[in-house]
């Protein structure tokens, strides 16, 4: 089974930074990988994608503040989050863009004002 495990969340003040990690049980080289976030009661939204070509894309709400990267040798995807805002508070998940893997438990990010 394809599994992912997210880590690195926490409580941070507005304007602060966090770095999230996503360790995959499969080779991420074959997949476009994404970071998603979900607020209770709302749908899970894709916020950043890293494609097999190396290109990245971002939701408008995080563009210029978040950076997605990956270590293919370690099958790990990262999300560097800077200039955090209270609206970034959510549970963050990673998966392939086609949701091929089982969803992990996510990692909670809380940004205080």
């Amino acid at each position: 089974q394809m599994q992912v495990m997210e880590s690195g969340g926490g409580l941070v003040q507005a304007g602060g930074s966090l770095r999230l990690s996503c360790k995959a049980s499969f080779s991420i080289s074959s997949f476009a990988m994404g970071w998603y976030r979900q607020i209770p009661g709302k749908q899970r939204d894709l916020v950043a994608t890293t494609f097999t070509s190396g290109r990245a894309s971002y939701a408008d709400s995080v563009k210029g503040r978040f950076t997605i990267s990956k270590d293919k040798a370690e099958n790990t995807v990262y999300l560097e989050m800077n200039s955090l805002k209270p609206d970034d508070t959510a549970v963050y998940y990673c998966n392939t863009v086609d949701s091929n893997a089982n969803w992990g438990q996510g990692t909670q990010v809380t940004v205080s004002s």
Side-chain angles (χ1 to χ4, degrees):
Q1 284 187 342
M2 296 172 64
Q3 310 276 4
V4 293
M5 181 178 295
E6 304 91 350
S7 62
L11 172 64
V12 63
Q13 287 188 328
S17 299
L18 283 173
R19 188 190 196 207
L20 307 184
S21 298
C22 168
K23 177 70 172 177
S25 67
F26 54 93
S27 174
I28 64 171
S29 298
S30 302
F31 297 92
M33 297 294 298
W35 278 99
Y36 303 75
R37 67 185 182 189
Q38 187 172 27
I39 300 168
K42 295 196 173 182
Q43 69 178 22
R44 190 174 291 159
D45 293 326
L46 179 64
V47 297
T49 305
T50 176
F51 296 94
T52 55
S53 64
R55 185 175 67 87
S57 67
Y58 300 91
D60 287 343
S61 58
V62 307
K63 200 171 292 183
R65 301 186 298 120
F66 290 12
T67 302
I68 189 170
S69 62
K70 58 190 171 186
D71 182 336
K72 289 186 278 187
E74 295 294 327
N75 291 320
T76 301
V77 184
Y78 302 99
L79 187 67
E80 184 78 33
M81 306 187 295
N82 298 313
S83 302
L84 282 161
K85 305 175 181 179
D87 284 350
D88 296 319
T89 295
V91 179
Y92 284 72
Y93 301 87
C94 73
N95 208 324
T96 70
V97 295
D98 293 322
S99 304
N100 300 103
N102 294 326
W103 289 96
Q105 295 201 338
T107 186
Q108 175 72 48
V109 172
T110 303
V111 185
S112 64
S113 56

